[in-house]
Amino acid sequence: MNDSLIKQRIAADLDEYVLSQKKVAEILNMSNQGVSNLVRDRKLIPVYIFNQNDARKINLFYKKDIIDYQEKLTAFRELRNK
């Protein structure tokens, strides 16, 4: 496989399976800090962390984990509002 095809495949796979912290915050309807708190509390586990030893880490999340958490969060919010 040539480099161009490899890059296209990686980009397609990332788009299909991986979410940034900003996108996770949008999906869960919370702030970036809220997502950071969930990571700190180990309620969400990033699949990969860039710059792990830096204050400006970049967390990447597995999309299915976030969708599953969103379903739980939505059910909890609905119960709380009853």
Side-chain angles (χ1 to χ4, degrees), residues 13-72:
D13 286 347
L14 285 173
D15 192 46
E16 184 174 348
Y17 298 110
V18 178
L19 295 171
S20 67
Q21 183 163 323
K22 181 178 179 182
K23 188 64 178 171
V24 169
E26 290 173 13
I27 290 171
L28 298 180
N29 194 27
M30 61 177 53
S31 67
N32 276 329
Q33 184 60 50
V35 174
S36 292
N37 292 342
L38 291 173
V39 170
R40 183 194 66 223
D41 296 341
R42 303 196 50 81
K43 293 180 180 176
L44 290 179
I45 309 295
V47 71
Y48 189 78
I49 304 170
F50 286 99
N51 301 328
Q52 191 160 3
N53 297 323
D54 194 337
R56 295 179 182 251
K57 301 177 201 184
I58 299 172
N59 293 320
L60 297 179
F61 298 88
Y62 182 54
K63 191 182 276 189
K64 180 156 181 1
D65 290 345
I66 301 308
I67 300 306
D68 291 345
Y69 189 82
Q70 178 192 31
E71 291 171 1
K72 291 176 191 174

Side-chain angles (χ1 to χ4, degrees), residues 65-82:
D65 290 345
I66 301 308
I67 300 306
D68 291 345
Y69 189 82
Q70 178 192 31
E71 291 171 1
K72 291 176 191 174
L73 188 60
T74 300
F76 175 76
R77 288 173 176 166
E78 287 174 1
L79 284 173
R80 188 178 62 190
N81 290 331
K82 285 186 177 183

